[in-house]
Amino acid sequence: MLRILTFVLPLALWVWAFIDCLTTPEDEVKHLPKVVWVIIVLLFPLVGSIAWLVAGKQRGALRTAPEDGGDAAGGSAYGPRRDGRPVAPDDNPEFLASLKKHNNEHEDMLKQWEADLRRRENELRGKDDPDDSRRG
């Protein structure tokens, strides 16, 4: 059992550090360029993984502290996020404004359709009415 753990734990650490290094945005990598960190983690699995965990990435308060008075997610209350992730639709005022615009456009189109339908119905009734008046 101990032999398996001595093999599996370093392997799991190496895989996790490698994936974490690849998926970390460039602006959160410390001390060396991201490509160099990837090479270090690949060539020196145990030492490179530990070095990446200790010194390679901004973590904790350094990463979550807002620099420009924004929120902890990385952007201002209504601006784009610095980490490149999309803002949820219900938090994005631009998206909500576009919904209102599209809603107004659809309402205008619906009013035009209704007016066209009324006009066509009146035309059809106008053609039918003279015949009805002659019969009665």
Side-chain angles (χ1 to χ4, degrees), residues 20 33 42 46 54 61 65 72 94-95 120-121 128:
D20 187 44
L42 276 177
L46 186 59
V54 172
E94 293 173 8
F95 176 74
R120 289 181 182 186
E121 287 177 347
D128 291 340

Side-chain angles (χ1 to χ4, degrees), residues 3-103:
R3 282 190 233 166
I4 293 174
L5 287 179
T6 58
F7 176 72
V8 171
L9 287 179
L11 179 66
L13 175 67
W14 177 63
V15 170
W16 182 79
F18 179 66
I19 291 172
D20 187 44
C21 187
L22 286 176
T23 58
T24 299
E26 188 75 36
D27 61 337
E28 293 181 13
V29 176
K30 296 188 323 183
H31 304 296
L32 295 172
K34 184 176 176 178
V35 175
V36 175
W37 277 114
V38 170
I39 292 170
I40 289 172
V41 171
L42 276 177
L43 293 180
F44 307 103
L46 186 59
V47 175
S49 300
I50 293 171
W52 168 252
L53 292 175
V54 172
K57 179 179 177 181
Q58 291 179 357
R59 300 186 189 278
L62 293 174
R63 190 170 138 228
T64 59
E67 297 172 5
D68 59 352
D71 61 0
S76 64
Y78 295 107
R81 296 172 67 126
R82 285 179 300 191
D83 59 3
R85 293 185 300 167
V87 177
D90 57 345
D91 292 337
N92 187 344
E94 293 173 8
F95 176 74
L96 296 174
S98 72
L99 286 180
K100 286 184 181 180
K101 178 184 172 189
H102 290 294
N103 193 24

